[in-house]
Amino acid sequence: MSYRLGPAARAEGHRLHVHDTLGSTNTEAMAQARAGETGPLWVATHRQEAGRGRRGNSWASLPGNLAASVLWPVAGVAPDHLAELGFVAGLALIEALEAACGTLPDTGSGTGDRSFRLKWPNDVLLGGAKLAGLLLEAETLPGGRRAAVVGFGVNVAAAPEGLGAASLAAAGYASGAEALLEHLSDRMAARARAWDRGRNFADLRAAWLARAAGLGSEIAVHSGGRTLRGVFETIDEGGRLVILAPDGNRHTVTAGEVHFGSAATAA
């Protein structure tokens, strides 16, 4: 497996460090930031041994899957816009998946839905099952400089057993992790340029909603020790989830675990 960046990313000065084995690509990228690196710097590994997701959850990265992170320059990004980088990354990833995989025709073979959708706040679904997770981490470094790292974990070749997750291979997509990273780096460069450090989040928000899973459907969100139920109405100008409750009130959620459909009823 030979990783490289896409031509557009290289033209914009992105660089890539590839490792045979790492504990976590996010940890390595942030270590580079602490050492003075400003980015954009991509870190990829063939084997990730201590990957992590949101809220300290572990992320299993099986052989052939994509484990990569990007240290993104955030000088000039207002603190209240920093979280928007996660939406930039989500859109970049779903566009990269579509570019790398193309569209498979419906053969009537019973293989089911092969569409890619974004699940708030930071997952990509394939046919309704989790295919990929993103992890945005930010840190204020000595001297006041801020660093932001986005990690991408994508089940390309295989999905962990027993979790109901999806993989590209199992869905019939033939793309490998190398091609996906090329497309991802190019799409990240393009989406970040359009976002313009938060100045154009309105356009990004509209594009994200066009790819959103569960929009307009029943939803349950576990947040802050309580469960909110209602209809997934939108995400607001700050990227917060907006739920229309059965009593007609609207609730905004900054972070939480989302469940759709029958899972929302059972949650």
Side-chain angles (χ1 to χ4, degrees):
M1 189 185 299
S2 179
Y3 285 117
R4 64 179 182 179
L5 300 180
R10 295 197 303 270
E12 293 197 15
H14 293 214
R15 287 161 293 117
L16 171 65
H17 292 179
V18 180
H19 300 259
D20 288 331
T21 303
L22 277 177
S24 160
T25 56
N26 261 35
T27 297
E28 173 62 21
M30 192 61 79
Q32 292 292 324
R34 295 189 193 106
E37 177 64 60
T38 57
L41 174 69
W42 291 84
V43 176
T45 185
H46 299 300
R47 181 180 177 185
Q48 182 171 249
E49 297 181 329
R52 61 185 184 275
R54 294 171 60 240
R55 300 179 178 177
N57 294 327
S58 62
W59 175 270
S61 184
L62 302 176
N65 289 350
L66 177 65
S69 298
V70 61
L71 170 64
W72 199 261
V74 290
V77 178
D80 57 345
H81 286 287
L82 190 58
E84 296 169 7
L85 189 58
F87 294 91
V88 174
L91 271 172
L93 178 54
I94 204 169
E95 291 171 347
L97 285 162
E98 291 170 344
C101 298
T103 301
L104 288 179
D106 184 1
T107 62
S109 61
T111 52
D113 182 10
R114 299 188 186 99
S115 64
F116 301 108
R117 306 295 288 179
L118 290 162
K119 181 183 178 184
W120 186 91
N122 64 346
D123 291 342
V124 174
L125 306 181
L126 170 55
K130 183 169 180 174
L131 172 71
L134 292 84
L135 180 62
L136 170 63
E137 296 183 307
E139 188 173 309
T140 300
L141 305 175
R145 181 169 65 89
R146 288 179 298 144
V149 171
V150 183
F152 302 85
V154 185
N155 297 332
V156 176
E161 294 183 1
L163 299 178
S167 72
L168 295 180
Y173 289 117
S175 178
E178 308 98 314
L180 182 56
L181 181 61
E182 284 192 59
H183 287 290
L184 175 58
S185 60
D186 278 352
R187 293 310 307 160
M188 187 71 186
R191 275 295 175 186
R193 192 185 324 114
W195 171 58
D196 193 18
R197 302 180 187 275
R199 296 178 182 88
N200 292 329
F201 183 64
D203 291 342
L204 182 80
R205 172 179 172 268
W208 192 97
L209 284 168
R211 307 294 188 92
L215 190 64
S217 69
E218 293 294 323
I219 192 173
V221 182
H222 298 308
S223 176
R226 62 175 180 159
T227 299
L228 296 172
R229 302 181 191 277
V231 173
F232 175 15
E233 190 171 62
T234 190
I235 61 170
D236 68 11
E237 293 77 6
R240 295 174 290 267
L241 184 74
V242 179
I243 299 174
L244 178 61
D247 61 7
N249 289 320
R250 286 178 172 82
H251 304 279
T252 58
V253 182
T254 302
E257 296 296 328
V258 172
H259 302 273
F260 298 125
S262 59
T265 304

